[in-house]
Amino acid sequence: MVLPDSSAVEDPNWSGSASHYDFAANFFLEVATLTKPQQRWRLVFKTIYSTRALLSLLINRKNQILTHLSHSPSYSALDINEHDYTADSTPFSNFDHQSLIAVVKDKNLLELLDQFGGVEGVAAALQVDFKDGIHGSTEDVTRRCNKFGSNTYRKPPAKGFFHFVFEVVKDTTILILLVRVALSLGFGIKEHGLKDGWFDGGSISLAVFLFILVSAIINFKQSKLFEKLSHESNDMRVDVIRDGRRQQVSNFEIIVGDIVVLKIGDQIPADGLFLDGQSLTVDESRMTGESDHVVINSDQNPFMISGAKVADGYGRMLVTSVGINTAWGEMMGSISRDREEQTPLQVRLDNLNSYIEKTTLIMAFIVLVVKLVRYISGNIHNQKGYREFSGRTKFDVVVNALVGIVSAADTIVMVAIPEGLPLALTFTLAYSVKRIMADRALVRKLSACEAMGSVTTICTDKTGTLTLNKMEVSEFWVGEVVTEDASKVIAPNVLQFLREGVTLNTTGAVYRSYSGTVPDFSDSPTEKAILSWAVLDLGTDVDEVKQRCTVLHVEAFNSEKKRSGVLMRNNREKMICVHWKGAAEIILALCSSYFSRTGTAKPMNEGERMKFEQIIKGMAAKGLRCIAFASKTVPEVEENEDATYKLEEDGLILLGLVGLKDPCRPEVSEAVKVCREAGVNIKMITGDNFFTAIAIAIKCGILEADEDLNNGAVVEGADFRTYTPEERKQKVDTIRVMARSSPNDKLLMVQCLKEKGHIVAVTGNGTNDAPALKAADIGFFMGIQSTEVPNESSDIVILDDNFNSVVTVMKQGRCIYSNIQKFIQFQLTMNVVALVINFVAAVSSEVVPLTAVQLLWVNLLRDTLGTLALATEYPTKELLKKPPVGRTEPLITKVMWRNLIALAIYQVTILLILQFQGIAIIGVEEKIKDTFIFNTFVLCQVFNQFNARKLEKNIFEGIHKNRMFLGIVGMTLVLQVVMVEFKKKYANKERLNWAQWVASIGIASLSWPIGWVVKWVPISD
C-alpha cells in the first residue's frame, strides 16, 4: 500500500491507516477546498474503500451460506474485545469514587439510591457481575489497584539503624567510657604528644565503637525480623469470587469490585455493600464502641465497614473501598505498631541484671574509695619509686591520676555487668521464631514461645488437629445402608428432599469450569464432603435446585445447638419446607417419623428410635462423624414475615444419615507419646459424638484400647458443666476426652485447670474457640480452616493444622529456656572471675591486670560470639524427657551454681597466682605477665563454652551437628591470636612465644576435666 504524503499526514482526521480514516468526515468535503495532491489521494482512497466494502459483503454472504450447510461447527468462536481488560482503557474515569467512599462511611442510604442507583448501580459502574464477580485477570487487577488503591495501610516509619545506635550509646557504662575516652585523649596528647598520646584513648574509643556497632547491627536485624513477623501475623485468607470461581486470596490482595464471601467469625476486610445472604448480623464494636449487633440487609442497611466481624449468618459483599480509604484503614494508619513486648523471661533477666548491677556498683565504690585514700595518703608510687601525690604535684598530673582511679572503678563496672543477657535472649527468641516459622507456625506473641516450655496441659481439638481434616462420605443410610448408585435406589421424593436439604442448607459453593471437568467445592471440609457426595453420588444439579427454590430464612450452624436449618419455598410445587442438618443424635431427637427406602413416611416408635441410635453408635464406633438430614413441609398459611420467622424444630421426618470419615494423622500417636514422656497431659475436647470421640482418642493414643472408661477419663460436656466447682477441680486431672462439648465447656475446662496451677495451651479454629484461646496461657490458632476471631485471640498460628507442630513449638520453648540458662552460667562464670581478679588487684596493689581495652575486647567476644554460640543451640530430644519448667523456678538452678562456683574458683585461683607470682613462676617481665594473664583468661572462657553446652551431661554430645558453635569457637581463637600477636600496641600488650601459648592453652583446657568431675557431685532437689 502506498503511504500518504505529508499533507495527508497533517490532516487531523488521518490516523495512520486507511481502516481508521474518518470516512464520514471527509467523503463529502468540497473538492474545491482540496489541493490537487489531496484530490488524487481522495480518489485512490474512494476506490480502495469501495472495493473493500464490496468484498466484505461477498465474504459475509458466503460465510452465512456455509454455516447453514454445516451440521455443527468443529470449533468454538470467541469474540474477544481487546479493549475490555487492557491497562490503557479507563472505564472508571467518570466514576465518582470519593463520593461512594463517603456514602458508605456515612451509611447514607438515600444518597446511595439517588446518586448511584443503589447496589445494582454501583456494581454496574464497577463492572461487576453479581454472580461471577470481576474478570480477575492480571490486567484487570492491576487496573483496579491503580485506580482505587490497594488494601494496605500507611505504617509509621520503621526505626532506622541510627535509632539503635543511639539506644546503645544511652547505656550508662558506654557514656562513662566515652567520657573516659575524651579525658584519656586530652591528657595523653598533652603529656606524650599527638604521635604517641592518642593510643590509650584511641584504643578504648575503637573498642567502644566496635561494641556499639555490633550491638546496634544485631538489634536492627532483630527489629526487621519482628517487623516481618508482625506483617505476616496480620495476613489472613479471604474468600472472593472472581471470574465465576470462589477462591482464597490474602486480605492485602482485596481490590475494589471484589465479591467477598463472609460467614460467622470472619472479619470484614474492606468497606462494601451487601449483595445477598441470610440472617447476617455484624459486630461493629471495634469501630463504633457499640456492643449491639447490627443487622445487614438490602433494604435498610446494606453498608458493611471494614474491621467489623460477622456475628451470625452469612452473605456476600461488594467491595467499594480498600486500604486507607476505609474507616478501618484510617484508624490503623494512625496507630503506632511498635513491637516493644517484654516477655516474662526478659523481666526476670532484667531483675537479675539489676541485682548484679547493684552488687557491682558497691564493689566499684569500694575500689574507688580505697584507691583515692591510697593516692591521697601517698601509698601509690610511680615506675621510679616516687610517690605519685605530694603537696607539690602539678594539677594536670593529679587530674590524670584521678582519671586513672575512676577508670579502675569503671573497669569493675564494665566487666561485671552482664550486658549480654538481654542480647542473648533476643538472639534465642529470634532464632526460635525463625525455626518455628520453618516448621509451619507463626508466632504472634513472643511470650508464648517461652511459656510453651512450661506447659503442663494441652487441650486440643479433634478435627483437623488430630485428624487430617479430609472428610469424605463413607456410609449412607436411608431406610437401610446404601453402598452405591444412591441416586438410583433412593425413592424420588426422598432424593428431592435430600438434594434440596444439601444444596440450600450450606454455606459452601460448587464451581464448574467451562471445560466440563470435575467440579470444585469450597467451604469447610465437612461441607465440601457433603456437597461432593450430593453432586457426584446423588446427581444433584445445584444451579437447578437454586433456580426452582427460594430461600426464605436461614439459621446458621450454631455450636451450642450443633445444627443448621433453612426455610425454603419450592416455586414449582408451591410448597414451603424446612430442612435441618446437624449432629445425628440431636436431629434424631427432633424427628417423629422417617422415610423408608421406598419413600414412604413411617412413624418412629421407641423400637425404631433405638434402632437409629444403634446405627449412629455403630458409625461413631468406627470413628465416623455422623450427620443427619431431616425436613418438614410447612403449610402455606403458616408462613410469617422472613425477619421474624422461627424455623420449626418438632415433628420432623428423618431423611437419612451419612457417616463422614476423617483419618487420624499418622504422626499424632507418636506426638502424644512424646508429650506424655515430657510430663504434659493431652486432653481432647470435641463436639463429636461420645463414641466417635472415644474411637479417635484410642487411635491417637490419648486413651488405651483396653482401658476402663468408667474411671472418668471420658465425659460429655453436658455432664461436665453440671459439676460443682469443687467436683470439676477434683475430676479435671482425670478427664482426657470431653465429647459433645460446647464453647463454654471448653472455657470451663481451661479455667479449672489454671485454678489448679496448670500451664494450659489450647488449640482452636472456630469463632466459638475464641474465649478458651484467650483464657489459656498459650492459644494455638489452627490456620487452614479457620476464621479471624480466634486468630486475634491466639498467640501462635499453626499453618498446617498439625498437632505435631504444637509439640515442635513446645520443644522450641524448652530450648529457649535451656539456652538462656547455658549462657547465664557461661557469662556469670566469666563475670565473677574478672570481677574478683580486678577487685582484689585494685584494692591490694596499684594496677589491675585486665585493662579497659582488654575487658571491652572480652565483652565483645562474650556478648556477640558467645551469645551466638550458646543461644542458638538446637533443641534436643532430652529436652522432652524432662518435666515442664515451672514459672516460679529460679533462673539459676542448684546445678548451675555447682558448675559456676567450681569453675570460677579454679580460674580465680590460677589467675591470682599469676597476678602476684607470675613473674617468678614464668620468669618474664611485667608486660608479658599481664599479656599471659589476659590470654589465659580469654582461653578459659573459650573452653568454658564447651562446659556450658551441657549442664549435666557429656559436653561433646551432638557437637558435630552444631557447625555454628564450632565455627564461632574457631573464629574466637583466630581473633585472639590476632589481638595478642599483631595488635600489641593497640591493647598495650607484648607478644607471647610458643611455649607461653601452650602454657595458656594447657591451663585453660583443665576446665574440661574439672567440669566433668564436678558434674558427678550430687545435687539435692
Side-chain angles (χ1 to χ4, degrees):
M1 179 177 177
V2 182
L3 292 175
D5 62 11
S6 59
S7 61
V9 173
E10 290 173 358
D11 189 342
N13 293 311
W14 181 272
S15 64
S17 68
S19 61
H20 288 86
Y21 186 84
D22 194 343
F23 186 80
N26 290 275
F27 194 87
F28 298 104
L29 285 175
E30 292 294 334
V31 177
T33 62
L34 301 176
T35 63
K36 288 187 177 180
Q38 287 177 331
Q39 291 177 9
R40 286 196 295 271
W41 274 110
R42 176 183 173 85
L43 180 62
V44 171
F45 180 78
K46 284 182 180 180
T47 303
I48 295 172
Y49 189 91
S50 302
T51 305
R52 288 184 60 185
L54 290 171
L55 287 173
S56 177
L57 289 172
L58 290 173
I59 292 171
N60 288 339
R61 181 61 180 168
K62 180 181 178 182
N63 287 340
Q64 290 176 3
I65 295 171
L66 289 174
T67 302
H68 285 297
L69 290 175
S70 62
H71 295 287
S72 61
S74 60
Y75 60 89
S76 296
L78 298 178
D79 185 14
I80 300 174
N81 187 344
E82 64 179 353
H83 298 292
D84 281 350
Y85 298 107
T86 59
D88 297 331
S89 59
T90 55
F92 309 117
S93 57
N94 297 324
F95 181 67
D96 190 356
H97 187 230
Q98 292 301 318
S99 296
L100 179 62
I101 292 172
V103 166
V104 175
K105 283 183 181 179
D106 298 338
K107 297 187 176 182
N108 192 330
L109 185 59
L110 291 177
E111 191 68 22
L112 177 68
L113 294 172
D114 293 342
Q115 184 174 350
F116 296 97
V119 178
E120 294 80 3
V122 173
L126 293 175
Q127 297 183 359
V128 179
D129 184 274
F130 266 42
K131 180 183 177 182
D132 296 338
I134 62 173
H135 184 268
S137 64
T138 304
E139 293 81 4
D140 187 29
V141 171
T142 303
R143 185 184 57 188
R144 291 175 185 270
C145 282
N146 293 337
K147 177 65 178 178
F148 304 115
S150 62
N151 200 29
T152 54
Y153 315 122
R154 293 193 187 100
K155 293 182 180 179
K159 293 178 180 178
F161 173 73
F162 289 102
H163 168 83
F164 296 97
V165 172
F166 181 68
E167 289 294 317
V168 177
V169 171
K170 286 196 304 184
D171 184 76
T172 306
T173 307
I174 298 297
L175 291 175
I176 294 173
L177 286 171
L178 291 175
V179 172
R180 180 179 172 183
V181 166
L183 293 174
S184 297
L185 284 173
F187 288 109
I189 292 172
K190 183 177 180 181
E191 186 175 349
H192 303 290
L194 180 62
K195 184 177 180 181
D196 298 319
W198 67 272
F199 283 119
D200 188 26
S203 300
I204 299 174
S205 63
L206 181 58
V208 171
F209 172 77
L210 286 174
F211 183 81
I212 293 172
L213 182 64
V214 171
S215 299
I217 289 173
I218 291 170
N219 290 331
F220 177 69
K221 290 191 70 175
Q222 303 319 313
S223 172
K224 290 296 181 185
L225 173 64
F226 293 139
E227 187 179 324
K228 178 184 176 184
L229 186 65
S230 176
H231 174 80
E232 293 187 1
S233 66
N234 290 328
D235 191 6
M236 61 181 183
R237 310 304 294 177
V238 180
D239 284 339
V240 300
I241 297 175
R242 292 181 182 176
D243 197 22
R245 183 166 189 169
R246 183 165 164 176
Q247 54 191 281
Q248 282 198 335
V249 299
S250 167
N251 60 314
F252 299 124
E253 297 172 358
I254 296 292
I255 56 176
V256 170
D258 264 331
I259 294 178
V260 179
V261 182
L262 298 168
K263 59 182 181 299
I264 293 179
D266 286 343
Q267 177 174 309
I268 300 175
D271 287 357
L273 297 170
F274 176 74
L275 290 180
D276 52 50
Q278 292 293 333
S279 309
L280 188 63
T281 60
V282 299
D283 178 8
E284 298 181 353
S285 58
R286 300 174 71 188
M287 300 299 299
T288 63
E290 299 292 336
S291 58
D292 293 337
H293 291 170
V294 179
V295 177
I296 304 295
N297 52 46
S298 302
D299 301 329
Q300 299 175 347
N301 181 27
F303 303 103
M304 305 178 73
I305 59 174
S306 57
K309 289 187 172 61
V310 178
D312 195 11
Y314 59 85
R316 300 192 309 155
M317 178 191 81
L318 171 64
V319 175
T320 57
S321 54
V322 294
I324 58 174
N325 292 323
T326 65
W328 179 255
E330 287 181 358
M331 185 179 74
M332 293 300 291
S334 63
I335 295 176
S336 175
R337 301 172 198 172
D338 195 9
R339 196 184 183 102
E340 295 292 346
E341 174 191 356
Q342 259 212 327
T343 68
L345 193 52
Q346 283 175 326
V347 174
R348 295 175 72 182
L349 286 177
D350 287 344
N351 293 335
L352 177 62
N353 262 358
S354 178
Y355 177 78
I356 295 173
E357 284 177 7
K358 291 174 183 176
T359 305
T360 301
L361 289 173
I362 292 172
M363 298 184 73
F365 180 74
I366 294 172
V367 169
L368 180 64
V369 172
V370 170
K371 296 277 284 184
L372 280 174
V373 170
R374 293 186 64 204
Y375 178 75
I376 294 172
S377 62
N379 290 323
I380 296 180
H381 300 79
N382 58 25
Q383 295 179 350
K384 296 180 180 179
Y386 298 113
R387 291 181 178 182
E388 285 199 359
F389 178 76
S390 65
R392 293 174 294 177
T393 306
K394 293 182 180 180
F395 177 76
D396 291 349
V397 177
V398 172
V399 172
N400 202 14
L402 291 177
V403 169
I405 292 171
V406 172
S407 297
D410 180 44
T411 302
I412 299 291
V413 174
M414 182 172 51
V415 71
I417 295 178
E419 298 97 340
L421 283 180
L423 193 62
L425 182 57
T426 302
F427 259 127
T428 303
L429 284 173
Y431 270 84
S432 297
V433 166
K434 289 181 72 173
R435 289 171 188 160
I436 289 172
M437 290 175 67
D439 290 327
R440 304 293 297 151
L442 181 65
V443 178
R444 299 184 75 248
K445 296 180 182 176
L446 292 179
S447 57
C449 291
E450 299 171 8
M452 276 306 294
S454 304
V455 163
T456 59
T457 303
I458 299 176
C459 298
T460 178
D461 286 333
K462 176 188 77 69
T463 305
T465 307
L466 300 177
T467 61
L468 290 171
N469 209 12
K470 294 180 179 179
M471 300 278 191
E472 62 177 3
V473 175
S474 63
E475 288 190 19
F476 173 48
W477 191 98
V478 52
E480 61 184 73
V481 175
V482 179
T483 56
E484 56 185 13
D485 293 332
S487 61
K488 296 180 180 178
V489 300
I490 301 174
N493 60 329
V494 179
L495 188 61
Q496 178 180 326
F497 280 128
L498 282 171
R499 287 171 173 171
E500 291 174 355
V502 173
T503 302
L504 303 177
N505 190 11
T506 183
T507 56
V510 180
Y511 170 75
R512 287 185 180 274
S513 63
Y514 295 109
S515 59
T517 57
V518 177
D520 291 333
F521 306 94
S522 60
D523 204 13
S524 68
T526 301
E527 293 293 332
K528 285 195 291 186
I530 294 174
L531 274 173
S532 173
W533 166 73
V535 172
L536 301 179
D537 290 5
L538 300 186
T540 304
D541 186 337
V542 173
D543 292 333
E544 187 272 333
V545 173
K546 289 183 177 180
Q547 285 175 3
R548 64 178 168 84
C549 298
T550 302
V551 175
L552 303 176
H553 188 73
V554 170
E555 281 196 19
F557 179 82
N558 186 298
S559 57
E560 293 286 347
K561 292 184 176 182
K562 300 193 182 302
R563 62 181 183 269
S564 62
V566 60
L567 181 70
M568 49 75 65
R569 178 194 290 113
N570 189 318
N571 298 322
R572 293 179 184 174
E573 300 177 9
K574 304 298 181 182
M575 69 175 183
I576 298 177
C577 288
V578 61
H579 287 279
W580 285 99
K581 174 185 70 179
E585 67 271 24
I586 293 175
I587 297 296
L588 180 63
L590 303 177
C591 295
S592 60
S593 57
Y594 69 97
F595 275 120
S596 67
R597 184 170 179 175
T598 59
T600 306
K602 296 182 178 181
M604 188 180 296
N605 54 35
E606 287 303 316
E608 294 293 335
R609 191 176 297 276
M610 290 182 62
K611 176 185 174 183
F612 285 115
E613 289 174 352
Q614 290 301 318
I615 293 171
I616 293 170
K617 287 180 181 179
M619 288 186 180
K622 300 175 186 176
L624 304 181
R625 171 176 286 183
C626 196
I627 305 293
F629 299 91
S631 68
K632 179 182 180 180
T633 301
V634 181
E636 184 79 22
V637 294
E638 294 184 11
E639 182 182 355
N640 297 327
E641 292 296 326
D642 295 352
T644 59
Y645 197 91
K646 188 179 188 317
L647 272 62
E648 293 193 20
E649 300 179 353
D650 57 345
L652 304 179
I653 303 177
L654 182 67
L655 299 176
L657 305 170
V658 294
L660 302 178
K661 181 174 69 174
D662 185 14
C664 289
R665 293 182 181 272
E667 66 276 9
V668 162
S669 57
E670 183 62 27
V672 171
K673 181 182 176 182
V674 169
C675 287
R676 285 186 171 180
E677 292 177 351
V680 178
N681 300 313
I682 306 297
K683 299 184 185 296
M684 186 178 81
I685 303 175
T686 177
D688 274 338
N689 179 284
F690 184 87
F691 298 99
T692 303
I694 292 174
I696 296 297
I698 290 173
K699 290 180 181 179
C700 294
I702 297 173
L703 296 174
E704 300 296 333
D706 56 353
E707 186 173 350
D708 181 13
L709 299 180
N710 295 321
N711 60 359
V714 184
V715 67
E716 285 196 331
D719 298 328
F720 185 76
R721 75 180 76 113
T722 58
Y723 293 155
T724 64
E726 291 73 20
E727 286 178 322
R728 275 197 292 268
K729 283 185 180 180
Q730 183 181 354
K731 297 180 179 183
V732 71
D733 288 330
T734 308
I735 297 171
R736 278 178 282 159
V737 176
M738 184 158 65
R740 283 293 178 235
S741 65
S742 69
N744 192 51
D745 298 330
K746 196 171 188 177
L747 178 61
L748 280 175
M749 172 75 81
V750 173
Q751 291 172 339
C752 186
L753 287 167
K754 290 185 70 174
E755 287 173 6
K756 291 202 69 176
H758 288 273
I759 308 298
V760 185
V762 172
T763 69
N765 57 10
T767 305
N768 50 9
D769 293 320
L773 289 171
K774 202 164 188 177
D777 295 285
I778 305 99
F780 284 95
F781 168 65
M782 315 310 282
I784 294 180
Q785 295 291 341
S786 302
T787 55
E788 180 61 14
V789 172
N791 183 15
E792 293 195 343
S793 302
S794 67
D795 305 302
I796 297 174
V797 179
I798 303 296
L799 299 175
D800 59 1
D801 282 11
N802 196 337
F803 182 78
N804 204 42
S805 298
V806 177
V807 179
T808 301
V809 175
M810 182 178 69
K811 188 192 298 184
Q812 291 290 352
R814 293 192 176 189
C815 183
I816 291 172
Y817 200 89
S818 175
N819 287 350
I820 291 300
Q821 286 187 317
K822 294 173 184 178
F823 186 75
I824 288 174
Q825 177 180 303
F826 165 70
Q827 186 172 59
L828 289 188
T829 302
M830 188 174 88
N831 286 14
V832 168
V833 172
L835 177 62
V836 172
I837 292 173
N838 271 21
F839 179 79
V840 173
V843 172
S844 60
S845 64
E846 298 176 1
V847 294
V848 291
L850 300 174
T851 65
V853 174
Q854 293 170 354
L855 289 176
L856 277 170
W857 174 252
V858 172
N859 276 5
L860 194 63
L861 294 179
R862 175 195 69 187
D863 294 341
T864 54
L865 297 181
T867 299
L868 273 173
L870 293 173
T872 58
E873 283 276 348
Y874 282 84
T876 60
K877 293 181 179 179
E878 287 73 21
L879 290 173
L880 295 178
K881 293 181 180 179
K882 299 177 182 178
V885 179
R887 282 182 171 177
T888 57
E889 289 186 18
L891 271 175
I892 307 176
T893 63
K894 291 181 180 180
V895 171
M896 293 170 64
W897 278 120
R898 178 197 65 190
N899 300 341
L900 189 156
I901 291 172
L903 293 168
I905 289 175
Y906 166 69
Q907 292 185 30
V908 167
T909 303
I910 291 295
L911 295 177
L912 284 180
I913 290 173
L914 292 173
Q915 169 65 16
F916 294 105
Q917 300 295 325
I919 295 177
I921 294 173
I922 307 175
V924 294
E925 61 184 27
E926 184 75 23
K927 278 198 171 184
I928 294 179
K929 181 206 74 173
D930 290 343
T931 304
F932 186 80
I933 291 174
F934 165 67
N935 195 46
T936 303
F937 173 69
V938 172
L939 292 177
C940 279
Q941 310 323 311
V942 173
F943 282 91
N944 193 32
Q945 279 185 332
F946 289 83
N947 286 324
R949 281 193 70 246
K950 301 287 183 181
L951 301 181
E952 297 182 85
K953 284 197 168 188
N954 177 16
I955 61 175
F956 300 108
E957 183 180 350
I959 196 169
H960 62 284
K961 297 179 181 179
N962 194 341
R963 295 180 181 178
M964 179 175 283
F965 181 88
L966 296 174
I968 288 170
V969 169
M971 187 184 300
T972 304
L973 291 173
V974 170
L975 291 174
Q976 181 63 14
V977 170
V978 171
M979 184 72 171
V980 172
E981 297 298 319
F982 302 103
K983 300 294 181 181
K984 65 176 186 175
K985 193 168 186 179
Y986 165 75
N988 195 22
K989 296 183 298 294
E990 295 294 328
R991 298 179 65 176
L992 301 179
N993 59 36
W994 284 107
Q996 290 158 354
W997 268 101
V998 171
S1000 292
I1001 294 173
I1003 293 171
S1005 64
L1006 288 176
S1007 299
W1008 284 354
I1010 292 172
W1012 181 79
V1013 170
V1014 167
K1015 287 176 183 177
W1016 287 96
V1017 176
I1019 295 293
S1020 61
D1021 294 334

